[in-house]
Amino acid sequence: MIMKKHSLAGTCGIPREPERIYIQVDTIADDSPTTGPADPQYIHWADGRCWKTESIYCRQEFGRMIFGNLCVRYDICIARQRRTLWWENGRWFVRRGSGIAVSA
């Protein structure tokens, strides 16, 4: 029997729940909590602005899908600036105050 683990928020640089701003992200394929994320293509803010991902510098996984605590960090380039984007349990988010999104 595999024990399910809790979220890794607050460890490995992963933002805790109050530090997160959830955003909509368009990907090249479907992503889900069971298969993991696909690479981000467009990032949408709540105020209607949209940015295209110019490039992906790196992708780093924390935790494991089998334990139910997979969290993926993407370092991406948007508007010629390096930004960090996170995926966990089918939801995309950024760190509050990171400069990538305005809090809603």
Side-chain angles (χ1 to χ4, degrees), residues 35-48:
T35 61
D39 292 343
Q41 294 296 302
Y42 291 94
I43 298 169
H44 301 274
W45 275 254
D47 66 3

Side-chain angles (χ1 to χ4, degrees), residues 8-23 43 45 62 71-76 82-87 91-104:
L8 296 175
T11 63
C12 306
I14 301 169
R16 293 181 188 275
E17 201 62 39
E19 301 170 331
R20 297 178 181 188
I21 298 174
Y22 290 94
I23 58 175
I43 298 169
W45 275 254
F62 302 93
C71 187
V72 182
R73 172 188 170 143
Y74 282 90
D75 287 334
I76 60 172
R82 188 179 189 129
R83 300 294 185 189
T84 301
L85 181 64
W86 299 87
W87 179 93
R91 297 175 72 191
W92 292 91
F93 61 93
V94 295
R95 181 185 302 273
R96 186 177 303 279
S98 67
I100 196 172
V102 209
S103 59

Side-chain angles (χ1 to χ4, degrees), residues 2-32:
I2 296 175
M3 299 294 293
K4 296 287 183 178
K5 300 222 178 200
H6 63 283
S7 171
L8 296 175
T11 63
C12 306
I14 301 169
R16 293 181 188 275
E17 201 62 39
E19 301 170 331
R20 297 178 181 188
I21 298 174
Y22 290 94
I23 58 175
Q24 178 187 345
V25 175
D26 294 340
T27 58
I28 57 172
D30 290 336
D31 56 279
S32 73

